[in-house]
Amino acid sequence: MTSRRWDVPSPRVVVPVVVAVVQALLVLGPALGGGVAVTHDMAWSPDPRWTPFVLGLDTPAPRAVPSDAVVVLLGKVVGASLAQHLVLLTILVGLALGTCALLDELLPRVGVAGLVAAAVAAVWNPFVSERLAVGQWAVVLGLAALPWGMRAALRVVRHGTSPYAVAPALVCAAVGGGNSLLLVGGTVLAVLVSGAVVVRSRRVLAAAGAAVVMCLGLAAAWALPALTASPVADTAGVRAFAPVADGPLGVVVSLLGGGGFWNTGAHPEPRAQVLIALTSALLATAGVAAAVVVGWRGRGRPGVLLAVPVVVCWALLLLSLGGPAEGVWEAVVTRLPGGGLLRDSQKLLAVWVVLAATGLGVLTDRAVRLVPAGLVGPVLGLLVGLPLVLSPQLVWGIGGRLDAVTVPDDYRAGLSEVSTLPPGDVGLLPWSQYRRYAWNDSRVSLTLAPRMVDRVVLFDDSLPLRSGTVAGESPRAAAVSERIRDGVAPVQALAVEGVRYVAAELGGAQDVDTQALRASGRVVVDRPSLLVVDTGSTTGPGVPEATEPSGAVLVGWGVTLLTALLLVARRAAPEIARKLPTGLLRSRP
Amino acid sequence: MTPALAAIGSVITGAVLALFTIIGGVSAISPDANAPAKSEAVVIYDAP
């Protein structure tokens, strides 16, 4: 008889894992209740459906690809609510543990105190707060995959591991779409290229080439349609998406502290305090310096390799702040193919945030080893507790921003009925993509309809901001908007575009002329929260392109899925080959 | 390090943390976060 002996896990493993899980529960809190959390960009459908929007079939720049399709797949397996809980928890836990793993790579004998400090600082910072507050879970996913990608790239350079070591981080980042893949892919590439120079290795250079190929393959699902459609970027968006100060000490200090998100509505209140803004900037700067310095020497000079992406990210950030280089930045964002990905430049700060947390772990580890025994407790409390008190708004759902709600059955049933109607595009009113659903405590959010109706849904994809409106990318939507501005009624403006059904979401903050809508055709769905009218219109200039997936979409999806499958198989194959013979020998006939 | 010094260190650390918590925590409380303005005709994405 064979017995399996389980080793007692080391406190270096157990404590960070416990801290990572507990703090993720503390941050998400109310978002983990029954229902789904719906806020700003996180329009999480309670009914997982592969709609044309989810698959990127009806939009020139499919930003929700492939993230929405992946969560729909997960939602079909475990349900939408549990899928959201799992995704958000995994992101925050993965972010904390990834930072610990990166710290362990930089400082192999780091103690529990350092690991805990790094795990806490990775999550409790303005970057996570500001992005989660507007529901940009895909960007936080990129942040979470980043330390794993950095660690894997360092190991390729320093220990000669396989070029495919970076694949898991790239695949995870690719799930989040363009923004997250840019963060991880760009950083991995910077580390590998600089590593090839530092260690003068063609093997590492080849690994960098392999990483480029992996990124291109994983990006194809959204990149190919976007590049072939060439959507025109509004130059107003360049200024609107530039980093701004989230505290009294200016934009650079805000960025140094991990904040500076362009959306002022997401800025944490505590950062208005000089003490908090200054302390978080100093703490993060000290952390990054510590991470770079501790790795400055040693095999492969990891400090140098990690400093390279930091310098690149800051160069781009400073360029995006305007001033004399404003024209250059505008040209990069609006004219360079794929430059639009850089428009919201503050996200590039992710590498700074990860290194700051890693470095705080270094500082904590050094501090508890150097101070007298009697001061270990207070010093540890200070260094671990500081990130918490600098971003207290994160606790329990970011001041009410993240809270699971029940989407009314009436609304869900109405949108399901629309999916079963005879073929035809759906135009969405009110003519704006943002809502303040009464059942969602009037939080700002994207409309759920394009993610819930299995039809091409035409909606106004422009972005209304306090500073003005940033134009969208859909030519059909732009044509409708222009007609409405010229005084044409929304229903007629939509009908010209060949929209057969006009669906009005009711009960929100915005009014819809339901009387005119009812008079415009045959009412096919009539519910308190949804009114849908069949206008009978089936012809229009945008219909042929919009209702069928283009070749670029099909090829893009095919390339991305194939790349992901090959990478997973490539990573899994050695493990299976190693374990399978052992398993066969152990198994009894 | 004497126990007295350790105790003083702990008290100072605790006081600093409490100060941060009070300043940050109190200002973080927003009873009506992200609430619609009375004049809002179109939902503004970056509404406070």
Side-chain angles (χ1 to χ4, degrees):
Chain A
M1 182 175 168
T2 58
S3 66
R4 185 169 292 180
R5 185 175 64 83
W6 294 95
D7 294 328
V8 178
S10 152
R12 289 180 76 246
V13 175
V14 173
V15 177
V17 168
V18 170
V19 168
V21 172
V22 169
Q23 72 178 5
L25 293 171
L26 263 176
V27 169
L28 296 173
L32 303 177
V36 288
V38 176
T39 185
H40 287 78
D41 296 355
M42 191 159 65
W44 204 285
S45 167
D47 301 311
R49 245 174 236 139
W50 278 302
T51 67
F53 179 84
V54 165
L55 297 173
L57 306 181
D58 62 349
T59 174
R63 291 196 171 78
V65 169
S67 53
D68 276 26
V70 174
V71 298
V72 164
L73 178 64
L74 188 60
K76 283 185 178 291
V77 177
V78 299
S81 178
L82 186 55
Q84 188 182 42
H85 300 167
L86 287 174
V87 166
L88 295 178
L89 274 172
T90 305
I91 288 172
L92 292 190
V93 172
L95 170 59
L97 296 183
T99 309
C100 291
L102 179 61
L103 173 60
D104 187 55
E105 176 66 25
L106 277 179
L107 204 61
R109 287 182 298 281
V110 63
V112 175
L115 292 168
V116 169
V120 170
V123 170
W124 297 83
N125 57 67
F127 189 95
V128 172
S129 173
E130 292 174 354
R131 296 289 169 167
L132 271 187
V134 293
Q136 292 188 354
W137 64 270
V139 174
V140 189
L141 170 65
L143 179 73
L146 187 57
W148 297 103
M150 291 159 83
R151 174 177 176 264
L154 285 180
R155 290 170 74 85
V156 170
V157 177
R158 304 177 72 205
H159 310 305
T161 54
S162 159
Y164 294 101
V166 299
L170 291 179
V171 171
C172 286
V175 168
N179 284 327
S180 55
L181 188 58
L182 174 73
L183 295 181
V184 182
T187 306
V188 163
L189 201 59
V191 171
L192 289 177
V193 170
S194 54
V197 174
V198 168
V199 300
R200 295 178 186 176
S201 164
R202 286 189 180 178
R203 178 190 57 79
V204 177
L205 197 60
V212 171
V213 174
M214 288 183 234
C215 287
L216 291 176
L218 291 168
W222 51 265
L224 268 182
L227 289 173
T228 50
S230 301
V232 179
D234 186 357
T235 51
V238 180
R239 288 182 296 281
F241 290 116
V244 292
D246 60 9
L249 299 176
V251 64
V252 174
V253 174
S254 298
L255 289 167
L256 285 171
F261 186 33
W262 67 266
N263 186 337
T264 52
H267 290 173
E269 295 281 339
R271 289 184 64 77
Q273 308 287 340
V274 173
L275 191 60
I276 284 183
L278 186 63
T279 310
S280 67
L282 290 174
L283 196 67
T285 308
V288 173
V292 171
V293 168
V294 80
W296 196 256
R297 298 190 184 281
R299 188 175 181 181
R301 306 192 71 179
V304 178
L305 307 188
L306 293 177
V308 171
V310 169
V311 170
V312 173
C313 113
W314 271 100
L316 291 170
L317 277 169
L318 294 175
L319 197 63
S320 71
L321 291 181
E326 191 175 347
V328 177
W329 184 249
E330 189 176 301
V332 168
V333 172
T334 58
R335 293 184 194 164
L336 200 70
L341 276 175
L342 296 170
R343 192 169 66 165
D344 168 13
S345 59
Q346 190 263 358
K347 64 176 174 280
L348 302 173
L349 205 59
V351 64
W352 175 264
V353 171
V354 166
L355 269 193
T358 309
L360 189 64
V362 173
L363 290 174
T364 306
D365 185 71
R366 292 289 154 91
V368 297
R369 288 175 198 270
L370 289 176
V371 297
L375 281 179
V376 166
V379 166
L380 185 59
L382 184 68
L383 291 174
V384 172
L386 259 180
L388 290 164
V389 293
L390 291 173
S391 293
Q393 75 285 346
L394 266 164
V395 74
W396 214 246
I398 318 177
R401 304 288 188 128
L402 296 178
D403 193 2
V405 294
T406 303
V407 180
D409 290 340
D410 160 66
Y411 178 71
R412 294 168 66 176
L415 292 176
S416 294
E417 285 172 33
V418 177
S419 300
T420 61
L421 292 170
D425 291 359
V426 179
L428 195 63
L429 298 179
W431 188 242
S432 165
Q433 61 176 328
Y434 294 101
R435 300 284 184 264
R436 284 187 183 275
Y437 294 115
W439 46 261
N440 194 24
D441 292 338
S442 295
R443 293 182 188 85
V444 175
S445 79
L446 284 164
T447 167
L448 289 179
R451 290 168 167 86
M452 294 180 71
V453 177
D454 192 10
R455 291 295 159 83
V456 169
V457 177
L458 183 58
F459 56 91
D460 179 11
D461 63 341
S462 64
L463 180 68
L465 301 173
R466 280 184 281 179
S467 58
T469 300
V470 178
E473 287 154 347
S474 163
R476 291 181 81 193
V480 174
S481 295
E482 198 173 330
R483 286 186 204 103
I484 291 174
R485 270 197 301 273
D486 290 344
V488 178
V491 177
Q492 276 72 47
L494 284 163
V496 175
E497 283 299 311
V499 168
R500 176 170 179 178
Y501 303 102
V502 178
E505 294 180 85
L506 309 174
Q510 300 152 279
D511 291 328
V512 175
D513 186 351
T514 52
Q515 206 172 355
L517 181 57
R518 286 178 191 280
S520 65
R522 185 170 61 89
V523 174
V524 287
V525 176
D526 192 356
R527 291 174 172 274
S529 59
L530 192 72
L531 175 66
V532 184
V533 171
D534 182 354
T535 65
S537 171
T538 52
T539 56
V543 175
E545 298 84 28
T547 49
E548 290 178 12
S550 68
V553 170
L554 291 173
V555 172
W557 266 108
V559 170
T560 292
L561 288 174
L562 191 64
T563 307
L565 284 172
L566 284 174
L567 290 177
V568 170
R570 180 67 182 76
R571 283 288 295 169
E575 196 74 3
I576 293 169
R578 189 170 61 81
K579 286 183 176 171
L580 194 60
T582 319
L584 288 173
L585 285 172
R586 278 186 183 169
S587 66
R588 293 175 180 177
Chain B
M1 173 62 54
T2 63
L5 270 179
I8 292 168
S10 298
V11 169
I12 292 171
T13 308
V16 170
L17 288 177
L19 185 67
F20 272 112
T21 311
I22 290 165
I23 293 171
V26 168
S27 56
I29 295 168
S30 177
D32 218 9
N34 204 211
K38 291 262 188 268
S39 58
E40 190 178 86
V42 175
V43 175
I44 304 296
Y45 180 78
D46 59 346

